[in-house]
Amino acid sequence: MRDGFVRLASATPAVKVADCVFNANEIKNMIFEAAENNAAAIIFPELAITGYTCGDLFKDRTLQAAAQESLKWLIEETAEADILVGVGMPVPYMGALYNCVAVFKSGVLLGLPAKKNIPNYSEFYERRHYTPAHGTEVISFCGFDVPMGENIVFTCENNPDFTVGFEVCEDVWVACPPAVGLTKAGATVIMNASCSDEIIGKADYRRMMLSAFSGRTLSAYVYADSGFGESTQDMVFAGHRLITENGSVITESDLFTSGISYGDVDVQRLVQERRRMNTWEDNFSEDIFFVSFDYEDETFINFELERYIDPRPFVPGNAQALSTRCKTILQLQYTGLATRLKHIGSKTAVVGLSGGLDSTLALLVMVEAFDSLGLSRDGIKAVSMPCFGTTGRTKGNAQMLAEALGVNFREIPIQAAVNQHFADIGHNPEILDVTYENSQARERTQLLMDIANKENGIVVGTGDLSELALGWATYNGDHMSMYAVNASIPKTLVRHLVKYVADTNGNIKDVLYDILDTPVSPELLPPKDGEISQKTEDLVGPYELHDFFLYYMLRFGFTPDKIYRMAINAFDGMYDFETIKKWLRTFYRRFFQQQFKRSCLPDGPKVGSVTLSPRGDFRMPTDASSRIWMDIIDKL
């Protein structure tokens, strides 16, 4: 366990019906195997000590006593394993028999969560043997005084975000599962000891149900199903093992297999999600029985993350999902712009077209918006404004794209105007400093604004989310527009949006692919030998790193050291440790320094869960100190 990541395990052992000694030995071996693999918790199937298919043997005192003796032996034998264990078994108490999960760790029985919903339909006859859980009582069992019943939550003292609740099979299939109350009481992980027979279509439904449940409850759900060895007199059990987290499947076993399935879940992320959503309210009622446990220091030290960390969290890895995502985003963008144009009654929109990715995407969105409104594309005014750093490649691509799309294109060179401005303010044009660069950006914005006034239209902004995060925009230059269609789209996704249009529109495919191959640059410094000399990523760092940092900092509020270690995992083989640290420091420094630019952003459509609009998702004082974040980075 580290940085909020906790390795969980779901086990399907070999089983012999009613042979508690054999079953306990199989379970013991799996407990040690999981502990050696740094699992923090493991769940076994329903009634794993006895086997689920014992029938009326469950009423037999001999089986009940054997199950209790086997559990006691199992607790003692695994005392050296630093792992939380849940094992299904029958528990006789007073005049009833309960279907429980025996929860133990380090030689101590901690509790006996009991099944609340007892099925008695179709192939299930559990009411014949078991009584539903009702309330919680402290009972004496296997030499321990422990809570038995419902509403028991197990809390980790030295990892407070790791809090566990247990269900038994049918509990998760009902309209209001017990785990709803357990998660509202703080449980971030639910473990289900199950014995669900397999029939056609059931695995798909089970997967969907558990994924959806973990999404609704902002939790991780670990499901262990019985398998080979259970009686097949009337049913077959497939050993389906699932681990889901906040709506996604982390791990899934093949059907008809035995063994252990592992998944590294991020309980810190789950807690952050609950804190972010103010509709989530914890409910620590008096009905909840809390039981604490902890881990040895070595368990934290020895943990090495095995979970796949996607280096491009904004970009779906699946081709079909990416295509669908791109289509939806483009629809959001052009719908936002079309709505604005219709509202103000404008039939004209102006864009500065540089031949780069961002302005290309903005133009593509404008075309879709105009087409959706039935407006003439001639109302789109694409303006190329070449200056000191403009290359023939970018200028040519801008013109070819505009002409291919049938929009109004004009070229307005600004060298003379910028030189006049240098003379007016007394700037030496041989000094290629920030004044030299920003004067060009502001001159371009002035032209666009004035053309929009003249044409009774609006200026469409081209800047993207990544540039806003880094402050890579000239204040009151390209920073400003009347509607910013790219404002919530990260640079890593801009590229895929343009490629999506290229692959679905043969008429402009060639020019779009050349734009995709052009280095990202503001083109504010003179070219060398006709080629772009100023490459953005050489100056501020790789956008794929910055987008990674931005996603986990803004979406989940993770600390810089956690983001750093996640980046090392995600970009293994691409960037070394020092490179990641260097650009992480740059990201945080610029993010805090450049907030003043984000405090006065123009309107623009939100398309994803991470945005920087001061009116929507992100508010921060412009003079906030970055010291505590930078101190963490310096100590890495």
Side-chain angles (χ1 to χ4, degrees):
M1 294 183 288
R2 189 178 187 184
D3 292 326
F5 290 104
V6 177
R7 183 161 301 144
L8 303 176
S10 169
T12 301
V15 62
K16 288 186 178 181
V17 178
D19 190 340
C20 299
V21 174
F22 173 87
N23 297 336
N25 192 63
E26 291 293 305
I27 292 168
K28 182 196 77 169
N29 293 336
M30 284 186 155
I31 290 172
F32 279 111
E33 179 184 338
E36 290 173 4
N37 284 304
N38 296 314
I42 185 170
I43 182 70
F44 289 88
E46 181 179 16
L47 300 168
I49 291 282
T50 57
Y52 175 81
T53 49
C54 291
D56 285 349
L57 290 176
F58 283 125
K59 297 178 179 179
D60 193 294
R61 283 180 174 266
T62 302
L63 183 64
Q64 294 172 13
Q68 187 168 340
E69 285 301 313
S70 292
L71 175 64
K72 186 175 181 181
W73 174 85
L74 189 59
I75 294 171
E76 293 171 352
E77 286 292 307
T78 60
E80 299 302 314
D82 196 28
I83 182 172
L84 184 72
V85 181
V87 177
M89 71 166 294
V91 174
Y93 177 65
M94 304 292 284
L97 186 65
Y98 295 92
N99 186 343
C100 293
V101 179
V103 181
F104 57 93
K105 184 184 181 297
S106 304
V108 177
L109 182 65
L110 299 173
L112 295 165
K115 189 172 186 176
K116 184 174 179 63
N117 299 281
I118 309 296
N120 220 57
Y121 59 87
S122 298
E123 63 267 45
F124 304 110
Y125 297 92
E126 291 184 31
R127 283 289 184 103
R128 184 180 177 91
H129 313 117
Y130 292 102
T131 297
H134 49 83
T136 305
E137 295 185 53
V138 175
I139 70 169
S140 180
F141 196 74
C142 287
F144 298 92
D145 292 333
V146 295
M148 189 276 289
E150 57 184 337
N151 299 331
I152 306 173
V153 174
F154 300 84
T155 62
C156 181
E157 292 186 351
N158 50 356
N159 186 3
D161 292 334
F162 181 41
T163 305
V164 188
F166 291 85
E167 287 187 324
V168 183
C169 198
E170 184 75 10
D171 285 339
V172 75
W173 294 80
V174 300
C176 186
V180 171
L182 298 176
T183 55
K184 295 296 285 184
T188 51
V189 173
I190 300 296
M191 307 192 91
N192 186 305
S194 182
C195 191
S196 179
D197 62 312
E198 207 59 45
I199 57 176
I200 295 297
K202 194 172 186 180
D204 291 336
Y205 184 81
R206 188 186 294 123
R207 182 189 312 108
M208 177 183 67
M209 177 179 64
L210 298 183
S211 297
F213 184 84
S214 69
R216 290 199 313 275
T217 56
L218 301 173
S219 66
Y221 203 99
V222 188
Y223 179 91
D225 192 15
S226 295
F228 192 83
E230 289 286 1
S231 173
T232 57
Q233 180 175 342
D234 295 300
M235 298 176 287
V236 174
F237 301 89
H240 199 190
R241 299 180 297 282
L242 281 159
I243 301 176
T244 67
E245 177 190 284
N246 194 18
S248 299
V249 175
I250 300 297
T251 301
E252 180 176 10
S253 72
D254 292 331
L255 296 181
F256 305 103
T257 63
S258 298
I260 305 175
S261 297
Y262 298 95
D264 292 354
V265 304
D266 191 346
V267 293
Q268 188 180 92
R269 174 174 174 171
L270 296 170
V271 171
Q272 287 294 107
E273 280 290 85
R274 292 179 179 183
R275 291 173 180 170
R276 184 181 68 89
M277 296 175 62
N278 65 0
T279 51
W280 177 274
E281 295 180 4
D282 288 332
N283 180 23
F284 300 106
S285 69
E286 294 181 358
D287 295 333
I288 301 296
F289 202 108
F290 292 98
V291 180
S292 63
F293 64 96
D294 61 12
Y295 291 93
E296 299 172 2
D297 291 341
E298 289 76 9
T299 300
F300 293 91
I301 295 170
N302 295 334
F303 180 80
E304 292 184 8
L305 183 65
E306 293 181 358
R307 172 170 170 162
Y308 171 73
I309 304 294
D310 193 341
R312 296 168 185 83
F314 289 107
V315 182
N318 176 272
Q320 182 58 49
L322 177 57
S323 179
T324 301
R325 175 78 58 87
C326 288
K327 180 180 179 180
T328 302
I329 289 174
L330 288 165
Q331 290 174 324
L332 287 167
Q333 287 179 281
Y334 80 69
T335 299
L337 178 58
T339 303
R340 176 57 53 90
L341 290 169
K342 187 172 183 179
H343 174 71
I344 63 178
S346 177
K347 298 179 180 180
T348 306
V350 183
V351 65
L353 192 62
S354 67
L357 278 173
D358 289 341
S359 64
T360 294
L361 177 59
L363 178 60
L364 296 173
V365 170
M366 293 166 72
V367 167
E368 291 291 336
F370 271 65
D371 288 352
S372 72
L373 292 171
L375 298 176
S376 170
R377 291 188 184 184
D378 190 61
I380 299 174
K381 312 299 180 182
V383 186
S384 171
M385 295 165 283
C387 198
F388 310 124
T390 304
T391 62
R393 180 182 186 181
T394 54
K395 185 172 71 169
N397 280 339
Q399 183 170 353
M400 282 191 288
L401 179 63
E403 291 175 350
L405 291 170
V407 305
N408 188 292
F409 177 80
R410 63 190 293 191
E411 180 180 315
I412 306 176
I414 65 170
Q415 292 96 327
V418 174
N419 278 323
Q420 179 60 53
H421 182 64
F422 288 162
D424 292 341
I425 66 173
H427 179 73
N428 182 353
E430 299 299 319
I431 300 176
L432 309 183
D433 59 3
V434 67
T435 303
Y436 180 91
E437 295 187 29
N438 286 349
S439 293
Q440 298 171 66
R442 292 196 178 99
E443 177 61 25
R444 286 177 172 133
T445 299
Q446 177 181 248
L447 276 173
L448 295 174
M449 292 287 183
D450 291 344
I451 292 171
N453 288 160
K454 185 174 181 294
E455 300 286 349
N456 193 31
I458 62 172
V459 175
V460 174
T462 62
D464 62 49
L465 178 66
S466 306
E467 292 178 344
L468 293 174
L470 295 169
W472 193 249
T474 299
Y475 189 80
N476 210 34
D478 52 313
H479 157 262
M480 192 49 60
S481 67
M482 292 152 182
Y483 197 75
V485 293
N486 297 339
S488 65
I489 301 175
K491 187 75 77 177
T492 48
L493 194 52
V494 169
R495 177 171 296 278
H496 289 280
L497 289 165
V498 173
K499 185 178 183 299
Y500 170 81
V501 177
D503 292 339
T504 55
N505 192 330
N507 293 333
I508 54 176
K509 182 175 182 178
D510 289 343
V511 65
L512 289 182
Y513 263 90
D514 196 62
I515 291 170
L516 285 164
D517 289 338
T518 303
V520 177
S521 172
E523 290 194 312
L524 296 173
L525 297 179
K528 293 181 180 179
D529 300 323
E531 299 294 329
I532 292 172
S533 63
Q534 187 183 25
K535 297 179 180 179
T536 298
E537 291 182 292
D538 291 344
L539 301 170
V540 296
Y543 274 118
E544 61 182 353
L545 281 178
H546 288 308
D547 283 356
F548 185 91
F549 302 152
L550 175 66
Y551 180 81
Y552 287 106
M553 177 243 192
L554 208 61
R555 181 68 176 80
F556 299 109
F558 288 166
T559 57
D561 52 337
K562 176 172 181 173
I563 295 173
Y564 169 73
R565 286 187 283 269
M566 289 175 66
I568 288 173
N569 178 296
F571 294 96
D572 183 33
M574 289 183 274
Y575 300 102
D576 60 35
F577 295 2
E578 286 303 313
T579 299
I580 293 173
K581 179 180 176 180
K582 171 187 173 181
W583 295 122
L584 181 65
R585 201 176 200 287
T586 296
F587 171 81
Y588 274 94
R589 176 179 58 80
R590 292 191 64 98
F591 188 88
F592 276 83
Q593 288 179 346
Q594 301 295 314
Q595 172 62 21
F596 73 98
K597 295 179 182 177
R598 300 188 293 266
S599 293
C600 53
L601 287 178
D603 291 357
K606 175 179 178 177
V607 302
S609 58
V610 177
T611 78
L612 288 167
S613 168
R615 295 168 298 279
D617 290 72
F618 189 76
R619 298 168 182 83
M620 185 178 94
T622 57
D623 46 8
S625 171
S626 63
R627 177 177 176 176
I628 58 176
W629 289 267
M630 302 302 276
D631 285 348
I632 292 173
I633 296 170
D634 289 341
K635 293 175 182 176
L636 292 174

